[in-house]
Amino acid sequence: MLTAAALLAGCDVTGVGGPGGDSAPPARGGSSSAVSPLVNPEGTGRGLAAVTAEEERAKARVLVERLTVKGRGPRTGYERDAFGHAWLDTADGVALARNGCDTRNDLLKLHGRDVEFRAGSDCVVVSMDLHDPYTGKDIAWKKAKAAEVQIDHVVPLSYAWQLGAARWDDAKRRRLANDPLNLLPVQGRANSAKRDSGPASWLPPEKGVRCAYAVRFAQVALKYELPVTAPDKRTMLAQCGGQAAVTR
């Protein structure tokens, strides 16, 4: 049932369970190589570096303040295929499209370290090391246990549908579903726990990355002219030191 619910949320789902909350020091190629979302507007830099300096957090709050707010509508009519078949390479208008490799493998290559490919392929990733920004953990991933790493839609597709994407054309929905700005490889259990939640209902277990997560969520919403709910906006501001504190 959880897998089915997560499929409705529009994320890459093959595993189940709750998120891990413990931080771990970065291993080879860990968080030390991650890029701040504030200097990564296309999402083509590796990882999701924490936003901690006050000057940067102030920039983050300015970005979040630009978001418009709206109530979340019904999910009536939502299905994953409304955003195109999963991980297609033909979503024109986004980075990495039409390079001969599907979106999922593009994201594994982009964010992984010590990447190994299937014999005879420069696309299909069979093993890698990943620093998961959501939990702070390092994952030695192998394709044989694919569920350990999933590709998260930062702004979930079902969330987008309820905030206006139901009225978009097919091409714009395909862009949102395959845009590297809206995609992060993360621990499978954390992704399954998130489902289609906005920031008011779910934040990364790793507290240090929550402002960066809010920035990335805001970047996607602004790029695609999506509003967010008022509780989500307040929560995002609070993660970056805003005055609109939210009780969780």
Side-chain angles (χ1 to χ4, degrees), residues 111-146:
H111 292 275
R113 286 287 196 183
D114 298 326
V115 173
E116 295 185 5
F117 299 99
R118 186 172 66 193
S121 172
D122 60 0
C123 171
V124 180
V125 179
V126 296
S127 71
M128 65 172 188
D129 294 331
L130 178 75
H131 180 77
D132 169 32
Y134 286 0
T135 65
K137 294 182 177 180
D138 294 289
I139 303 171
W141 178 84
K142 293 187 182 298
K143 191 173 179 63
K145 295 185 176 180

Side-chain angles (χ1 to χ4, degrees), residues 18-203:
D22 297 330
S23 297
R28 293 176 301 163
S31 60
S32 62
S33 65
V35 179
S36 165
L38 290 168
V39 296
N40 186 23
E42 292 190 349
T44 52
R46 178 180 283 117
L48 187 70
V51 175
T52 56
E54 181 49 41
E55 180 181 356
E56 299 304 302
R57 290 165 70 84
K59 292 178 181 177
R61 294 193 294 271
V62 170
L63 186 75
V64 174
E65 285 284 12
R66 292 171 52 197
L67 294 167
T68 59
V69 298
K70 181 181 177 181
R72 191 165 173 169
R75 287 177 55 176
T76 305
Y78 171 76
E79 57 182 21
R80 173 61 177 86
D81 281 353
F83 292 80
H85 295 300
W87 315 130
L88 52 84
D89 185 38
T90 55
D92 292 326
V94 298
L96 309 180
R98 296 190 182 275
N99 65 356
C101 191
D102 65 88
T103 304
R104 175 182 168 82
N105 280 295
D106 276 337
L107 269 290
L108 297 179
K109 289 193 293 181
L110 175 63
H111 292 275
R113 286 287 196 183
D114 298 326
V115 173
E116 295 185 5
F117 299 99
R118 186 172 66 193
S121 172
D122 60 0
C123 171
V124 180
V125 179
V126 296
S127 71
M128 65 172 188
D129 294 331
L130 178 75
H131 180 77
D132 169 32
Y134 286 0
T135 65
K137 294 182 177 180
D138 294 289
I139 303 171
W141 178 84
K142 293 187 182 298
K143 191 173 179 63
K145 295 185 176 180
E148 292 183 358
V149 169
Q150 298 173 11
I151 310 297
D152 178 46
H153 285 101
V154 177
V155 174
L157 302 186
S158 174
Y159 181 100
W161 182 267
Q162 294 173 271
L163 270 298
R167 297 185 295 275
W168 295 355
D169 61 32
D170 290 343
K172 185 174 182 179
R173 288 198 290 261
R174 287 195 296 269
R175 289 195 297 274
L176 178 70
N178 293 278
D179 190 340
L181 183 65
N182 194 32
L183 299 170
L184 284 171
V186 299
Q187 184 200 66
R189 292 191 302 277
N191 182 50
S192 294
K194 174 183 172 180
R195 300 172 69 174
D196 67 348
S197 300
S201 301
W202 186 92
L203 288 166

